[in-house]
Amino acid sequence: MDNPTAVLADLIAKQQPGYPLDAQFYRAPEVFERDLERIFLRSWLYVGHVSQVPSVGDFFLFELGEESLIIVRDTKQELHALINVCRHRGSHVCSEPSGNVRALVCPYHGWAYDLAGNLRSKRAMPESFDRTQYGLKRARLQIFHGLIFVNFWSDAPDLEEAVAPLQACFAPYRLVDAVVAHRERYSIDANWKLAVENFMECYHCAPAHPEYSRGHSKKAPPSESEEERQIMLKRAAELGLATESVFVTGGAAGPDDVEIFYERQVLLNGHVTGSPDGRPVAPLLGDLEGYDGAGADIQIGPVSFGLLYADHAVLYRFTPRAPQKTDMEVVWLVNSNAREGVDYDLEKLTWLWRVTSDADQRIILNNQKGVNSRFYEPGPYSKMEGYADGFAQLYLSWIK
């Protein structure tokens, strides 16, 4: 782009409502940098679960574009999100994706930081050097029901404000007491927006995801299962589950109009959870005492989604790494008392969303290949792609 700002403004002005984005939104490096600055560096981003760092010194890395964060538990049992850049000459301090350490030691020149990011060792520096001014920089970190969120923007509003409407929805599941049973990471050679748009519509579910479509209602218009839905909502209320949908735009989760979402979706054909046959696969979560025949779709912020079943939760995170490189992480949470091989079979627990994600990886990659063609010209969204259409319009407002 000769003049990125002017060209981007022209692209936004030319975008036709009801149609997917122009190819440049999925390809251009300048657009990708704008996405990082306007959206990702100013949003609350889900990065993991507290069970991933249970002990002092436990850490894992979260990487976004060219940025890297160390999520670490210190000696006071507090969690920190530390910028993985040494304050000496900028080397990454941690290179392993996760582990346990007594201190954070830069491998380049040996500068050592404590688990809260304070500089402790300053080898061969002059006496006048004030180490208190050279601690690791940090992002903000807040926890919601055991889910860890970070924000690179120091002036971001508290996450608590944005997620308040979800408190009652999450409470019965007690995810803070859950543990990660399994994690899968997919590296997709495609722009992050294609991955998110794919997740937000189910127009493709019937032809592309027969396994998912056997038990999930999004394959059909809601009116086709209204009677089943009313039965499910009655049972959900009896179990103490939130039955009212939550849809909030705007607030503290990210740029204006970033969505906060919760909706119970009836499961079909007698299914009660997301499994090969729709039957239970793990002990019930939290305070639940039964199944209501539904799964709850959730969203917090621009790229964090999930499904809450009665016996497990599935969390999705889409993280941009380059204009045409996106990490898709899928995490399965179970009751912390559940024992693999005794209380649940890992293959059955993860089967549905592994086969679905495997297919989505291929779908998204093929979508990017087509968008890269000089002959790409988007056609109109269908009636079943309303959320994807809404996302495209919100995205344009975010990057102006």
Side-chain angles (χ1 to χ4, degrees), residues 71-84:
I71 311 301
V72 61
R73 189 176 294 277
D74 72 8
T75 55
K76 297 180 180 179
Q77 294 294 332
E78 295 180 357
L79 289 179
H80 301 274
L82 305 174
I83 306 295
N84 191 14

Side-chain angles (χ1 to χ4, degrees), residues 44 46 143-147 149 159-175 240-250 252-253 258-264 296-302 304-308 315:
W44 283 103
Y46 156 72
I143 299 170
F144 175 70
H145 287 271
L147 308 182
F149 288 81
L159 178 66
E160 184 176 356
E161 173 189 337
V163 298
L166 296 179
Q167 290 286 0
C169 304
F170 275 71
Y173 296 95
R174 286 216 326 262
L175 294 186
L241 292 161
T243 57
E244 293 294 324
S245 298
V246 174
F247 183 75
V248 180
T249 57
V258 165
E259 297 174 0
I260 301 297
F261 181 79
Y262 168 94
E263 185 176 30
R264 302 200 69 73
D297 292 322
I298 59 172
Q299 177 182 355
I300 301 178
S304 303
F305 304 86
L307 300 100
L308 303 178
L315 304 177

Side-chain angles (χ1 to χ4, degrees), residues 52 108 182 213 394:
Q52 294 175 241
Y108 196 7
H182 187 65
S213 297
L394 287 174

Side-chain angles (χ1 to χ4, degrees), residues 66-67 78 140 146 163 189 192 202 210 232 238 280 313 361 370 399:
E66 294 181 346
E67 304 302 334
E78 295 180 357
R140 296 183 63 188
V163 298
D189 292 329
W192 69 273
C202 214
M232 176 274 292
E238 294 171 348
Q361 183 179 36
I399 64 168

Side-chain angles (χ1 to χ4, degrees), residues 42-114:
R42 295 172 65 88
S43 298
W44 283 103
L45 304 172
Y46 156 72
V47 297
H49 186 265
V50 292
S51 66
Q52 294 175 241
V53 280
S55 303
V56 171
D58 285 348
F59 76 91
F60 66 86
L61 299 186
F62 169 70
E63 296 182 320
L64 167 73
E66 294 181 346
E67 304 302 334
S68 178
L69 280 179
I70 308 166
I71 311 301
V72 61
R73 189 176 294 277
D74 72 8
T75 55
K76 297 180 180 179
Q77 294 294 332
E78 295 180 357
L79 289 179
H80 301 274
L82 305 174
I83 306 295
N84 191 14
V85 177
C86 182
R87 296 297 307 280
H88 178 221
R89 287 176 56 186
S91 170
H92 273 192
V93 176
C94 290
S95 56
E96 295 298 321
S98 63
N100 180 277
V101 293
R102 297 180 62 182
L104 300 167
V105 181
C106 178
Y108 196 7
H109 297 100
W111 280 30
Y113 306 84
D114 66 21

Side-chain angles (χ1 to χ4, degrees), residues 306-329:
L307 300 100
L308 303 178
Y309 298 110
D311 55 4
H312 69 285
V314 184
L315 304 177
Y316 271 79
R317 183 184 73 212
F318 300 97
T319 307
R321 300 299 303 277
Q324 294 188 31
K325 178 76 72 175
T326 301
D327 286 346
M328 178 174 74
E329 183 183 79

Side-chain angles (χ1 to χ4, degrees), residues 121-310:
S121 173
K122 53 183 183 65
R123 293 177 55 252
M125 299 300 290
E127 289 298 323
S128 60
F129 179 81
D130 183 0
R131 69 182 183 185
T132 66
Q133 301 302 307
Y134 290 89
L136 293 175
K137 295 183 179 181
R138 63 184 61 235
R140 296 183 63 188
L141 183 149
Q142 292 189 17
I143 299 170
F144 175 70
H145 287 271
L147 308 182
I148 305 169
F149 288 81
V150 301
N151 198 315
F152 289 89
W153 185 28
S154 60
D155 293 329
D158 284 344
L159 178 66
E160 184 176 356
E161 173 189 337
V163 298
L166 296 179
Q167 290 286 0
C169 304
F170 275 71
Y173 296 95
R174 286 216 326 262
L175 294 186
V176 68
D177 295 326
V179 294
V180 174
H182 187 65
R183 296 168 61 227
E184 288 277 351
R185 177 180 169 274
Y186 298 80
S187 181
I188 307 175
D189 292 329
N191 185 266
W192 69 273
K193 293 184 286 295
L194 292 177
V196 169
E197 288 168 338
N198 175 75
F199 191 89
M200 297 187 78
E201 57 92 351
C202 214
Y203 189 35
H204 74 284
C205 290
H209 301 308
E211 303 88 356
Y212 169 89
S213 297
R214 285 200 295 266
H216 291 71
S217 61
K218 282 191 172 182
K219 71 173 183 178
S223 60
E224 293 185 19
S225 57
E226 185 58 30
E227 182 178 353
E228 292 175 287
R229 180 170 179 78
Q230 291 307 314
I231 295 173
M232 176 274 292
L233 292 175
K234 181 176 182 296
R235 178 62 175 150
E238 294 171 348
L239 292 170
L241 292 161
T243 57
E244 293 294 324
S245 298
V246 174
F247 183 75
V248 180
T249 57
D256 291 343
D257 298 324
V258 165
E259 297 174 0
I260 301 297
F261 181 79
Y262 168 94
E263 185 176 30
R264 302 200 69 73
Q265 294 287 345
V266 65
L267 298 174
L268 303 179
N269 300 318
H271 288 214
V272 297
T273 190
S275 65
D277 57 4
R279 308 315 300 162
V281 289
L284 292 166
L285 289 171
D287 299 321
L288 298 182
E289 297 181 350
Y291 295 81
D292 67 335
D297 292 322
I298 59 172
Q299 177 182 355
I300 301 178
V303 288
S304 303
F305 304 86
L307 300 100
L308 303 178
Y309 298 110

